[in-house]
Amino acid sequence: MSVMHFKYTVRTLGFIPLVFTAFSTLANEVTQPIDHLFDAMREHNEQKLLNQFTTSALLQRAGKDSNVQTTDIAKFAVAIGKSTSFLDEQLLAKRVQQSGNLASVWTPYVFYLDQKVSHCGINSFQLIHTEQGWKIHYLIDNVFEGDCEEFAQAHAEKD
């Protein structure tokens, strides 16, 4: 290997961690409202939950037979705030795509109610970057009709 080729290789390899670090930092910024949403659910913090969404955000669940149920986010936040159960949604992975002020995040999840598996499925978030930072503008999820342990194993993030 020539000295010139070695220097180029070292510079190129040195650049790769910078790219991954920049992407990781951006992905963390984009997903911060998602993390805060689930923190707010665990904390029963109605206002923190609402702060993660745009004012015109939409919350939906895709059900069986193409049935889509829309939930009022303000009513959802009140219900979370009043709940006495421990609500813990654990994300199995986050797949982030971002361009400018628009991002999409796909997250398989398992939802625990008082430390017991309640259900599992997929979340699909659409986020926009606002003057206040990244906000969730659209969230649709579904519920997996099967064994959540098998679902979790199939969707666990690979190291």
Side-chain angles (χ1 to χ4, degrees):
M1 176 185 302
S2 72
V3 172
M4 183 65 105
H5 182 81
F6 178 76
K7 286 181 181 179
Y8 174 78
T9 302
V10 170
R11 264 189 256 139
T12 303
L13 291 175
F15 178 72
I16 290 172
L18 286 174
V19 170
F20 286 123
T21 301
F23 178 76
S24 176
T25 300
L26 178 61
N28 287 338
E29 288 177 23
V30 168
T31 61
Q32 192 172 44
I34 296 168
D35 296 335
H36 289 325
L37 165 64
F38 297 123
D39 290 343
M41 288 175 63
R42 285 185 282 276
E43 298 163 7
H44 303 281
N45 187 328
E46 177 181 339
Q47 192 57 53
K48 182 176 181 176
L49 187 144
L50 288 172
N51 289 342
Q52 307 318 309
F53 291 91
T54 65
T55 56
S56 58
L58 187 59
L59 176 60
Q60 295 185 315
R61 172 159 288 161
K64 294 180 183 179
D65 303 323
S66 301
N67 180 28
V68 176
Q69 178 184 3
T70 301
T71 300
D72 181 277
I73 295 173
K75 289 180 182 177
F76 177 71
V78 168
I80 294 298
K82 290 182 177 179
S83 176
T84 58
S85 298
F86 184 65
L87 311 170
D88 186 21
E89 186 154 333
Q90 292 293 315
L91 304 181
L92 304 174
K94 294 177 190 168
R95 292 172 186 89
V96 178
Q97 293 185 320
Q98 185 265 334
S99 177
N101 66 346
L102 178 66
S104 177
V105 181
W106 180 269
T107 63
Y109 70 88
V110 177
F111 186 84
Y112 296 87
L113 182 63
D114 291 329
Q115 283 84 29
K116 294 181 183 167
V117 173
S118 169
H119 60 279
C120 56
I122 301 289
N123 293 315
S124 176
F125 292 90
Q126 297 299 312
L127 298 99
I128 60 169
H129 193 268
T130 69
E131 290 178 2
Q132 295 81 34
W134 287 98
K135 298 283 183 179
I136 301 164
H137 186 68
Y138 180 57
L139 166 55
I140 188 166
D141 72 359
N142 69 10
V143 176
F144 177 70
E145 300 290 329
D147 183 286
C148 285
E149 188 173 317
E150 289 177 13
F151 177 88
Q153 289 175 359
H155 290 283
E157 195 160 27
K158 309 295 186 246
D159 290 330

